[in-house]
Amino acid sequence: MGTVNDWNEVAAQLGVDSIRSSTAAGSGHPTSSLSAAHLLAVLWSDHLRYDVADPKNLANDRFVLSKGHASPLMFSVLKAVGAITDEQLLTFRRFGSPVQGHPVPLPEMPWIDVATGSLGQGLPIALGMALAMKMDAIPARVWCLMGDSEVAEGSVWEAMENASHHGADNLIGIIDVNRLGQRGPTMLEWDLDAYAARARSFGWHPIEVDGHDVAAIDAAYAEAEGADRPAVVIAKTEKGHGVSFLANREGWHGKALSEEEAEKAIAELGGPRDVSVTPPKPETGVSPRADAPNVVLPVYAEAIATRKAFGETLAALAVRGDVVAIDGEVANSTHTEDLEKVAPDRFVESYIAEQNMLGMAVGMQALGKVVFPATFAAFLTRAYDFIRMAAISRANLRLSGSHAGVSIGEDGPSQMALEDLAMMRAVHGSTVLYPCDGNSTARLVAAMADLPAISYIRTTREKTPALYDDHEDFPIGGSKTLRSSDADRVTLVGAGITLHEALEAARSLEAEGISVRVVDCYSIKPIDAETLRDAVSQTGLLVTVEDHWSEGGLGDAVLAALADGGDLSGRVVKVAVTQMPGSGTPEELRDWAGISASAIADRVRSLLP
Amino acid sequence: MGTVNDWNEVAAQLGVDSIRSSTAAGSGHPTSSLSAAHLLAVLWSDHLRYDVADPKNLANDRFVLSKGHASPLMFSVLKAVGAITDEQLLTFRRFGSPVQGHPVPLPEMPWIDVATGSLGQGLPIALGMALAMKMDAIPARVWCLMGDSEVAEGSVWEAMENASHHGADNLIGIIDVNRLGQRGPTMLEWDLDAYAARARSFGWHPIEVDGHDVAAIDAAYAEAEGADRPAVVIAKTEKGHGVSFLANREGWHGKALSEEEAEKAIAELGGPRDVSVTPPKPETGVSPRADAPNVVLPVYAEAIATRKAFGETLAALAVRGDVVAIDGEVANSTHTEDLEKVAPDRFVESYIAEQNMLGMAVGMQALGKVVFPATFAAFLTRAYDFIRMAAISRANLRLSGSHAGVSIGEDGPSQMALEDLAMMRAVHGSTVLYPCDGNSTARLVAAMADLPAISYIRTTREKTPALYDDHEDFPIGGSKTLRSSDADRVTLVGAGITLHEALEAARSLEAEGISVRVVDCYSIKPIDAETLRDAVSQTGLLVTVEDHWSEGGLGDAVLAALADGGDLSGRVVKVAVTQMPGSGTPEELRDWAGISASAIADRVRSLLP
């Protein structure tokens, strides 16, 4: 155990190094670091059970810096524990350095598990880690340092409610109540009792503390460790603490000190130090699961809704002990309930809290889980910031969005995903899939389990006919040409529901002597550029059909692929939803939108000479 | 005042009509309607001060059905007050009917102010309405009916905190605690005390009530009306109340009754009735502001950051009494603080709660405000579901997103908007703007104030040189060709920051004898298709350059415009950000991404024969 003097020395060093690194960079957040220096000094010295030499050890406690702008403090801690050198610390915010402006997990920065910097995301992520530990009976804890400003984010309260509901007594939050946000006081300022009342009402054990009194902090952490529920240490702190001209002053958010100011501030903090910190070791070693069981995929000979095929495939994948599903209280619609039935301990209900769902997924995958979060595709828009940040976290996630497009019918536009393909294509490194039948869904969902980065499958509410047998392969980036001849005068490119409409249109056009090629573009990103280029060059006219707005979806993906191949030639027509739908039957709405078989056939007739 | 018997008769009629309409439709949510029938019977009979014949009267109280799936109840209320006929009620969920699956505001449905159906959005919207009333000193109230499941959404707590902080004592929430969500019990079930403790800790006045006891409901509403802070009526109800085989039963969410079941249920409710309800009238008439002052736009001769020009233009527009700005605690970064300085009563701080910010904006515009919500463009992703729903609400909103792309530099990827153009293009009816200098920003921001639907301006963190004088017009859907000659061998298309890089690249290529056309595509949606088609046909090679992922942004917009014009020819190359950035200077990062002047010039050289 450290002494009060030890902890204060560590805190002073963390403060000094936060100033040194941000002044060297010429930007950053030293004052937001100073407020939490004592909190982290005590945590990393004596409470976080963590093997610095083996940061991915599953037995480790985990630390999430939700207030990611306090990155100078984070990296100063990593220097103090010997993870990085002082020289590396001073590359803060430089081009090419892993010591980035906000923490990012990189191969050379394995002590950072997840990217932060978009506020309010740390607690949902930490909750996911805590629940992953419980799934594997790992006796470790997750500690999450939040700023007070970020507690205004609703995602924090989604996680608060979910944490107590799921019994996450291994989760400890710390709120650095330094009273000042970017441009002025927070709503609650130093009203610690108000924070405590809120936490208590959400089922947490709150502990109020002076955030610069190391002995009190130590006691608070001990109390939190002993709580029978998630605990939150609510610490009254000063932004810029320890430096006379910074402490509790407005106008210093996100500003590095000049060299002269830094010199003065460092002197006030007692000058540079060279203290080493060794966190306590984790209690036990834990081995990751190494089971590689034989997955038997479902086989479909009949019509089925792809959302149902998704659920059944997920249930089949659950023989793998690392597969987890999370849902937003619609598991009987997305069919993640099929996994819940066979592996209830690996199904997590996030209730109607999609941001928390995505945050939990990021936390779980950081501990090795193969996570499938699912909800209506329209409601994934609720969590777009979390998806964006997950890509920066280099997270491996498998998203499922059901109820795509106007084809959901009567429920109307609020439940129709018409922007999900655009949203998911614009995620770095993403894979975007949209199968049209049961067997292709099964193959693609199985592939997702082993894909890196963020993959997304769009599924359909209605049943669709079986098109493929169960021996067919569906490589990521591939397509299927379902009709083709030398006489083809047009290529119809569909995916999911529109593939069936395109096939029916092709049959009716064929009856009139118009030969039509049909391509199933089940992999929208990456896309089968070669097949598309051949199709447009051979048939001269290519028509994309999608149950999605015309911006950013299948049509734009096809055009980008064609442009990427060199000179453009031929004609490409995008058929998509262009007006705001209302209620109606799926058939009425597809017809109204111009994406039904008859509307497609009419469009082709109008386009051919 | 109604009697207990009157209210119960109205409630029974609302329940019967909810069943009749959903059974006629064959889908819908009768049980979620039955739980709240008494709550709305009392509200619309005796508390909501509302002129049914003049629903847009600013003196009216407003009602927001946050639990939008209880649409059968909403439309049954509208029938009871004489807004729609029974015949119209029975067109529920039919193709072409304004009586849609979830409430949507339409010209023929003026009693609905905003679309709901994505849960957790009603309270932020209602808060925006309440604050708009306060701005105009209108003594009206906003009532918002929420489901208990949706209270898990963090956006509800964002609004709870903002409401009490902003003193919205004219806002009354009602939570229909019917215990059952879509697939099972909620986290809190019937623990009304827990809801009350949470509300109290967030600064609200909670009132617990039996939601089927009309006298108690009446008293609760009276207490709420008299509260000195926002109040919430927490009502214990039964899903499917009043029907023996539905009440408090699982498995009935979102299911219409068969004809036989409906007949039985209606009999249990005492059969159909024909009761008319007349809500109390609003206290006073209020006229909308009719000021049309002369706006004097700022003029720029020097370099300025477009985010700053945005703020200064907003401040100039504030001579209009209807212009309002909302920010997410970064007003000194987005520069909405410039409006705050000149019109502090029309600046609303939403703190770090972007969903609440967008919700409030939708509510304010429903009462005639010209609202500009602003934050870092990256953090607008946090509110994508609200933006999507705002389009369904036919809302007029003016969004501003600052800190676009890798050009923000050292802060790193968490703060870089690289998907905002894709996200905003895929919003129905949206306008997407991206100016490159001060004067073009001023003109476009001024234009946004009068644009219908959802417009978005992307601004840059760094200063950029002045390119245009203050007499230049910038029509929406236009572009500016800044360099052009018959000898052009390539067209560079940029916008915002990349326009300057493209111009510099063109100058260096010109020095090598390569004549280059440069187009400023400041209007990305709608886009100047004609200029782009001419450019590609005249120069043969068109290169788009954007500080954005390659999916869904400027490049895809250009390709879509070219394809839309008929046969494709020529070559189009998209230059965009394709790898995950880290920290660095803006210059280093643009160079690394291949979107700097020198990188563009190199790319052009490699493309030319």
Side-chain angles (χ1 to χ4, degrees), chain A residues 2-184:
Chain A
T3 67
V4 165
N5 188 56
D6 293 340
W7 290 323
N8 279 327
E9 280 296 296
V10 172
Q13 173 172 309
L14 297 179
V16 167
D17 284 348
S18 295
I19 292 170
R20 290 173 63 233
S21 56
S22 50
T23 292
S27 68
H29 298 74
T31 58
S32 303
S33 296
L34 284 164
S35 61
H38 294 98
L39 292 167
L40 291 203
V42 177
L43 178 62
W44 282 75
S45 296
D46 282 288
H47 290 272
L48 187 81
R49 298 165 303 181
Y50 188 76
D51 185 349
V52 175
D54 188 11
K56 298 306 183 197
N57 187 331
L58 288 176
N60 281 336
D61 283 0
R62 300 284 168 150
F63 173 72
V64 177
L65 182 78
S66 188
K67 50 175 292 187
H69 55 289
S71 47
L73 177 63
M74 182 77 244
F75 294 121
S76 297
V77 166
L78 292 184
K79 175 198 146 183
V81 299
I84 65 172
T85 65
D86 193 64
E87 195 176 23
Q88 287 175 302
L89 175 66
L90 296 178
T91 65
F92 181 53
R93 293 180 161 241
R94 298 256 173 86
F95 181 74
S97 169
V99 186
Q100 295 192 8
H102 291 74
V104 171
L106 297 168
E108 60 270 45
M109 189 58 68
W111 307 276
I112 306 292
D113 289 311
V114 293
T116 51
S118 177
L119 292 168
Q121 301 205 7
L123 198 65
I125 291 170
L127 173 57
M129 292 174 168
L131 296 183
M133 289 169 177
K134 288 204 169 268
M135 281 178 193
D136 293 338
I138 297 173
R141 295 191 187 93
V142 188
W143 301 77
C144 176
L145 178 65
M146 290 170 272
D148 49 353
S149 288
E150 72 174 305
V151 176
E153 285 285 10
S155 52
V156 172
W157 299 99
E158 294 178 8
M160 293 289 284
E161 181 166 35
N162 264 270
S164 57
H165 181 73
H166 289 297
D169 54 8
N170 54 342
L171 174 60
I172 300 176
I174 307 167
I175 307 180
D176 173 12
V177 187
N178 66 22
R179 198 186 68 83
L180 294 174
Q182 171 169 325
R183 63 186 294 260

Side-chain angles (χ1 to χ4, degrees), chain B residues 40-116:
Chain B
L40 291 202
V42 177
L43 177 63
W44 282 74
S45 296
D46 282 287
H47 290 272
L48 187 81
R49 297 166 302 182
Y50 189 77
D51 185 347
V52 175
D54 187 10
K56 297 306 182 198
N57 187 331
L58 288 176
N60 281 337
D61 284 359
R62 300 285 169 149
F63 174 72
V64 177
L65 182 78
S66 188
K67 51 175 291 185
H69 56 289
S71 47
L73 177 63
M74 181 78 244
F75 294 120
S76 297
V77 166
L78 292 185
K79 173 198 146 181
V81 299
I84 65 173
T85 64
D86 193 65
E87 194 175 22
Q88 286 174 303
L89 176 66
L90 296 179
T91 65
F92 181 52
R93 292 180 162 239
R94 298 257 172 87
F95 182 73
S97 169
V99 186
Q100 293 192 8
H102 292 74
V104 171
L106 296 168
E108 60 271 43
M109 189 57 68
W111 307 277
I112 305 292
D113 289 310
V114 293
T116 50

Side-chain angles (χ1 to χ4, degrees), chain A residues 93 153 183 340 354-355, chain B residues 153 183 340 354-355:
Chain A
R93 293 180 161 241
E153 285 285 10
R183 63 186 294 260
E340 184 185 22
E354 296 80 7
Q355 296 190 81
Chain B
E153 284 285 9
R183 64 186 293 263
E340 185 185 21
E354 296 80 8
Q355 295 190 80

Side-chain angles (χ1 to χ4, degrees), chain B residues 360-433:
Chain B
M360 288 200 303
V362 170
M364 289 179 177
Q365 66 82 41
L367 298 195
K369 299 301 178 193
V370 174
V371 192
F372 287 81
T375 185
F376 283 30
F379 303 140
L380 286 174
T381 57
R382 196 67 160 249
Y384 194 26
D385 194 28
F386 281 72
I387 300 170
R388 175 184 80 86
M389 288 296 299
I392 302 173
S393 281
R394 278 69 174 170
N396 301 314
L397 290 182
R398 294 82 185 166
L399 304 181
S400 171
S402 66
H403 293 69
V406 303
S407 294
I408 67 158
E410 291 80 358
D411 268 328
S414 65
Q415 320 292 304
M416 295 172 177
L418 289 164
E419 56 291 293
D420 56 317
L421 297 176
M423 173 175 91
M424 292 307 306
R425 281 182 66 228
V427 171
H428 180 64
S430 65
T431 300
V432 179
L433 307 170

